[in-house]
Amino acid sequence: MTVHKRGFLVLDGTDPEPLARFYAALLDGTVEPSGADHDLLLISGTDGVALGIRRAPDHIPPSWPRPEDSQQSHLWILVAPEALDEAEREAVSLGARPVTAEHNGSRTDRRTDARRFMDPAGHAFVLAAHDASP
């Protein structure tokens, strides 16, 4: 018999409450305590997105992207192609910082279908255009 499992990404931060509110607003979700771990908050989105934010007093924000090495773990948030500009404005209004990746000397064009950001605690995420039609 297979044991039922559920997984989700957990991001560390020195102050989890504002970071949890940021992602709840960005994902149109809600923030709830995890129950078992008082340092963990859970974000549940309208489409079942699950994300955890955990208190880590010694958290050091990652440095991404760096052209000399590979990407670190990062969250991809999918939006309809026609809503990408609006999603970017929303993310920035909530406190996200745009990141320009450099690859082989050329800068990433902000008009592309994948736009890179740092959340208020320095974690990388991408807003990506995704056509959900069959």
Side-chain angles (χ1 to χ4, degrees):
M1 180 172 164
T2 303
V3 175
H4 177 74
K5 298 169 188 75
R6 183 175 148 199
F8 55 91
L9 179 67
V10 175
L11 301 175
D12 288 348
T14 56
D15 193 6
E17 290 84 4
L19 188 59
R21 286 193 302 273
F22 167 83
Y23 277 109
L26 187 63
L27 299 171
D28 192 25
T30 58
V31 178
E32 302 173 17
S34 71
D37 183 345
H38 68 280
D39 285 330
L40 179 65
L41 298 172
L42 300 177
I43 293 90
S44 298
T46 55
D47 288 335
V49 174
L51 181 65
I53 308 294
R54 186 179 70 86
R55 182 178 315 278
D58 298 327
H59 171 71
I60 298 171
S63 58
W64 177 85
R66 294 187 306 193
E68 67 274 7
D69 58 15
S70 66
Q71 300 181 94
Q72 297 180 13
S73 296
H74 57 283
L75 180 66
W76 274 65
I77 299 171
L78 304 177
V79 299
E82 66 275 6
L84 190 56
D85 290 337
E86 182 179 348
E88 180 175 14
R89 286 190 295 275
E90 180 182 25
V92 170
S93 75
L94 292 169
R97 298 179 311 276
V99 173
T100 301
E102 294 189 15
H103 183 33
N104 296 333
S106 65
R107 298 177 73 84
T108 300
D109 186 340
R110 297 298 302 158
R111 294 172 291 174
T112 64
D113 60 355
R115 301 179 188 175
R116 295 160 182 81
F117 298 89
M118 296 295 221
D119 70 21
H123 302 100
F125 72 93
V126 173
L127 291 174
H130 177 69
D131 187 359
S133 62

